Amino acid sequence: CAPCRYYGTDLDQHRVEEAGRINPSGIFVCASSSRLPFPDAYFDRILAAGLFHHVDDVTADLILQEYSRLIRPGGFLIVYEAIWPIKKYNLWGKLVRKMDQGNFVRHVSGYDRLFNRYFDIEARTHPFRLGVDYYLAMLTVKK
C-alpha cells in the first residue's frame, strides 16, 4: 500500500497486534467495522476482503452504512468475497464453501442486493480460482 497511509481494523486484539508487527507502517485499530473511530469522509478507498460472508444481513447493513459515511466523495469501496458456485455442478466449489468458517456465504444476487442499499456497483466480476468462485466489485456511495 505504500506510499499511502494504510489502516486496518479487526475485532480481535491479537490480530491487530500481529498486523502491526507484520506491517509497522500501518495503523491498526481494534474496533467493529459497524462503528469505526474515524471522522466522516475520512477515506478515499476502503477494501473489504473476506468480511461479509462472516456477518448476517443486519450486521452487513450496519457495516455498509458505516463505510458509506467514511468514504470521501469520489472514493470507492472494493469488495472481495466468497460466493456460492456460479455453475451448479461445481461440486468442489460447494465443498470448499461448506467448509468455510463464514456462515453467511451468499450468491451473487445476495451480495448485489446487500450492497445496492448504500452503494452503486460500478464494476463487478467473478474470479474463479482453484475451482472456487469469488465476488469482486468496485462500489461508489449512492448520491
Side-chain angles (χ1 to χ4, degrees), residues 36 38-43 46 66-72:
L36 293 166
F38 303 106
D40 293 355
Y42 192 72
F43 295 104
I46 294 177
E66 182 71 348
Y67 286 176
S68 71
R69 177 187 74 81
L70 292 171
I71 295 174
R72 289 184 181 135

Side-chain angles (χ1 to χ4, degrees), residues 16-85:
V16 169
E17 291 167 4
E18 183 65 19
R21 279 191 289 278
I22 293 169
N23 184 357
S25 63
I27 299 165
F28 300 94
V29 179
C30 187
S32 168
S33 289
S34 63
R35 190 178 236 197
L36 293 166
F38 303 106
D40 293 355
Y42 192 72
F43 295 104
D44 293 319
R45 294 171 204 89
I46 294 177
L47 169 65
L51 167 65
F52 291 104
H53 73 282
H54 290 285
V55 297
D56 61 30
D57 286 358
V58 172
T59 304
D61 191 69
L62 293 171
I63 293 168
L64 291 165
Q65 184 177 3
E66 182 71 348
Y67 286 176
S68 71
R69 177 187 74 81
L70 292 171
I71 295 174
R72 289 184 181 135
F76 53 88
L77 168 63
I78 298 289
V79 176
Y80 187 73
E81 272 304 326
I83 59 173
W84 285 107

Side-chain angles (χ1 to χ4, degrees), residues 2-3 8 38 41 45 48 73 87 94 112 115 117 122 125 127 129:
F38 303 106
R45 294 171 204 89
K87 295 179 180 173
K94 288 178 184 178
D112 286 349
F115 300 139
R117 182 155 179 203
E122 300 297 334
T125 188
R129 302 289 182 258

Side-chain angles (χ1 to χ4, degrees), residues 102-121:
N103 293 322
F104 301 96
V105 176
R106 296 165 177 89
H107 293 277
V108 170
S109 61
Y111 284 116
D112 286 349
R113 193 171 36 258
L114 196 63
F115 300 139
N116 272 322
R117 182 155 179 203
Y118 296 101
F119 293 88
D120 290 320
I121 300 171

